[in-house]
Amino acid sequence: MPVVQHGFDLFQTTVKPPAIHRFLSEVQQQAVQTNQAQIASFSVSMAAIAPWAALAALGQKHQRHFYYDPPQAQAMVGLDVVVECIAAGKSRFAQAQAFVQAWQGRFLCAEVGECDRPNHFFCSATFFDEATATSAPAYFEPMYVFVPKVQVMAGKVSSRVTFNRLVTATTDIHQTVAHLDWQLKQLTAMASLGMAKPASHKVITKGVANFELAVTAALRQMQAKELHKVVLADVMDVVAPQAIDGVRSLQTLRQNHPDCTVFSVGNGRGQAFIGASPERLLSIHQGQLTTDALAGSASRGQTPDADTQIAQALLHNDKERYEHQVVVDFIVEQLRSLHLTPHYSPTPNLLQLLHIQHLHTTITAQLKSPHLPSKISSDLSQKISPIEILAKLHPTPAVAGVPREAACRLIREHESFDRTLYAAPLGWIDTEGNSEFVVGIRSALINGCEARLYAGAGIVAGSEPAKELAEIKLKLQTLLNALV
């Protein structure tokens, strides 16, 4: 990452405005010399702050936000926009990749202890590359990528706040410094904030409708050998007497789903898409790709013995094993089409969550070859970008079906709502090529006093409409409990 020499230590609990002013002025000189806008980036270490507290401190309805809280890593919150990419159509992933490549070398970092840490692009995509229900508002773009003005890496002992600003020849440095100082004071004040008090809501809900009819239609296509699997979803609409507290919902989701990635994507117009996803679509760290096949589900037992019996029944259920294997085979085939060598266990294990358990297979592949010189290996790894892998994997049979085209046609025909970000990729890419994306399931769209909850079930030959409906209702009720 490019570095600006300045001789000042910006990484202190109390940031000195003169140091920031000098740093931004030097970045502005670079912008003038190159006749190209630059992103000035510097970080501050501070006391531990919860990710939801950062969102509460600085998040505004008219600002974009991206909230990403994985179970075993630092949570990240990105607030407001420095630069952005809005992409649509069949080339949306390619457009997003071009945007990341264009900007990843234009961060200028202050030369101090931790400035070599990578910056992040936050990304979200809708399930389809265009809306399916034309009468519904298009709350989210088919593909959206942005660099935040403020990024909080929330740790248990300390947190790291990165400030990014777009600097041009005409940027008002004095005004920028004043705003940065205000934001830091807001974050410092929120660092010790406690849990929000739960709201008492009496809600009106409208349950799922026509789901069993859609399952029956899918089974007919399977009998005709036109379809092997399809994932059908339905929604529950909720109306509360007062605005649903998104921050409180995120706190509750984290408590109720300790093994899931809790997320929120705010569109800057008042709506947010939140959830707790158990499904990692891909993770790339130092050239190692990891992805999960997650399909085949059962409830948890009320007692340890009952739980063990349900788990064993799931592991030996032919219908659930077939549904799972379809996902494994698809992912392996897609990775091999990118000339990667997938590694995975031939038999699934169990991913046991608080309310549900799934058949689960971890699949890995090495993006960098250990047998090549480091420079050649690095060059090869750059040829396969995270977004290129996303384009191959989305949508997997775990959220669409097989064959993919036939499954998506049936989804369009029988789902009367737009999936928007439901069951689609949400995640981040950093300037060193690391990345992580989850699938936006177990999710809800929050819009003031209203919320739309999404849940789906995999349908294969042998599926029973009533049982699949029961699975849908279980997932929806679990999510409803977190929201209200």
Side-chain angles (χ1 to χ4, degrees):
M1 183 182 299
V3 169
V4 171
Q5 304 279 349
H6 62 80
F8 287 86
D9 184 5
L10 302 180
F11 291 80
Q12 299 180 25
T13 303
T14 302
V15 179
K16 298 178 180 178
I20 303 175
H21 192 287
R22 178 171 296 190
F23 167 61
L24 292 175
S25 297
E26 291 176 354
V27 174
Q28 190 170 54
Q29 291 175 13
Q30 294 259 0
V32 171
Q33 293 172 2
T34 61
N35 196 29
Q36 191 175 56
Q38 307 290 327
I39 299 177
S41 182
F42 70 93
S43 297
V44 176
S45 295
M46 61 183 298
I49 180 171
W52 51 264
L55 184 58
L58 298 180
Q60 304 293 327
K61 285 187 176 181
H62 64 278
Q63 293 178 342
R64 296 271 184 171
H65 77 251
F66 195 99
Y67 181 104
Y68 193 88
D69 184 10
Q72 297 177 339
Q74 277 191 317
M76 288 188 283
V77 185
L79 300 161
D80 212 353
V81 178
V82 175
V83 290
E84 65 183 352
C85 169
I86 298 173
K90 307 231 176 258
S91 66
R92 58 178 174 158
F93 289 106
Q95 294 174 54
Q97 175 60 23
F99 169 80
V100 172
Q101 287 179 332
W103 281 100
Q104 62 186 358
R106 291 168 67 180
F107 289 86
L108 292 177
C109 179
E111 188 188 34
V112 287
E114 299 183 7
C115 73
D116 58 340
R117 295 190 181 182
N119 291 82
H120 290 75
F121 298 84
F122 292 109
C123 315
S124 62
T126 55
F127 188 87
F128 291 109
D129 56 24
E130 58 185 14
T132 56
T134 55
S135 60
Y139 289 129
F140 296 95
E141 298 84 357
M143 187 82 196
Y144 186 77
V145 186
F146 77 106
V147 174
K149 284 187 177 180
V150 182
Q151 178 180 313
V152 180
M153 299 286 291
K156 293 181 179 180
V157 178
S158 64
S159 294
R160 181 171 176 268
V161 183
T162 298
F163 295 95
N164 298 310
R165 289 296 186 273
L166 188 69
V167 178
T168 68
T170 59
T171 297
D172 186 329
I173 301 299
H174 293 283
Q175 183 178 358
T176 301
V177 171
H179 189 245
L180 287 169
D181 186 56
W182 175 84
Q183 287 185 317
L184 185 59
K185 288 176 180 176
Q186 291 293 108
L187 286 170
T188 303
M190 297 293 285
S192 59
L193 189 70
M195 282 282 288
K197 294 181 179 180
S200 177
H201 283 322
K202 290 183 179 180
V203 300
I204 301 172
T205 63
K206 181 181 178 182
V208 296
N210 301 322
F211 179 77
E212 289 179 278
L213 295 176
V215 173
T216 301
L219 292 173
R220 283 198 298 267
Q221 289 197 22
M222 291 172 191
Q223 289 176 349
K225 307 299 183 183
E226 298 171 0
L227 193 64
H228 298 296
K229 176 188 175 179
V230 65
V231 178
L232 291 172
D234 215 324
V235 297
M236 175 188 290
D237 290 323
V238 175
V239 179
Q242 61 192 67
I244 296 172
D245 187 341
V247 171
R248 172 67 198 183
S249 297
L250 292 171
Q251 293 172 290
T252 307
L253 285 170
R254 169 45 66 222
Q255 287 184 332
N256 293 352
H257 302 278
D259 297 321
C260 294
T261 295
V262 176
F263 61 83
S264 177
V265 181
N267 65 3
R269 299 187 299 277
Q271 293 79 35
F273 189 81
I274 77 170
S277 176
E279 185 171 354
R280 173 178 53 186
L281 184 58
L282 69 85
S283 173
I284 298 174
H285 181 65
Q286 295 183 348
Q288 175 81 19
L289 166 68
T290 304
T291 182
D292 293 327
L294 196 69
S297 306
S299 62
R300 298 300 304 270
Q302 296 296 318
T303 66
D305 287 343
D307 197 48
T308 299
Q309 290 178 2
I310 294 172
Q312 290 303 309
L314 176 59
L315 286 169
H316 296 92
N317 185 300
D318 290 341
K319 177 255 181 188
E320 302 291 345
R321 287 288 293 268
Y322 172 74
E323 181 184 343
H324 182 80
Q325 192 60 44
V326 164
V327 179
V328 173
D329 292 344
F330 170 85
I331 293 174
V332 168
E333 179 182 356
Q334 295 303 102
L335 295 182
R336 285 175 177 163
S337 73
L338 292 170
H339 306 290
L340 300 175
T341 304
H343 301 280
Y344 58 98
S345 170
T347 57
N349 55 28
L350 287 174
L351 177 63
Q352 295 184 305
L353 306 176
L354 189 62
H355 302 285
I356 196 170
Q357 49 193 323
H358 304 279
L359 295 177
H360 172 241
T361 297
T362 299
I363 302 169
T364 63
Q366 192 72 26
L367 298 186
K368 294 182 179 180
S369 172
H371 305 296
L372 296 174
S374 59
K375 183 180 185 307
I376 298 176
S377 177
S378 177
D379 290 343
L380 286 175
S381 71
Q382 295 301 315
K383 293 180 180 179
I384 305 177
S385 70
I387 294 181
E388 184 179 358
I389 299 172
L390 278 183
K392 283 286 187 179
L393 294 181
H394 175 73
T396 72
V399 293
V402 177
R404 183 156 61 177
E405 293 75 13
C408 287
R409 281 198 303 271
L410 189 138
I411 290 169
R412 287 178 180 272
E413 291 171 7
H414 289 278
E415 292 183 359
S416 59
F417 55 91
D418 190 350
R419 288 194 172 194
T420 65
L421 301 183
Y422 170 70
L426 309 166
W428 56 266
I429 301 167
D430 73 19
T431 47
E432 293 182 352
N434 301 310
S435 179
E436 185 167 300
F437 282 81
V438 296
V439 181
I441 57 176
R442 313 289 196 274
S443 48
L445 172 65
I446 297 179
N447 183 17
C449 297
E450 301 177 351
R452 168 162 282 185
L453 285 57
Y454 300 80
I459 312 302
V460 297
S463 293
E464 300 177 26
K467 288 185 177 180
E468 302 300 338
L469 178 60
E471 180 181 331
I472 288 275
K473 288 183 175 179
L474 171 65
K475 294 173 180 177
L476 289 172
Q477 186 58 50
T478 301
L479 186 58
L480 178 64
N481 293 340
L483 293 180
V484 296

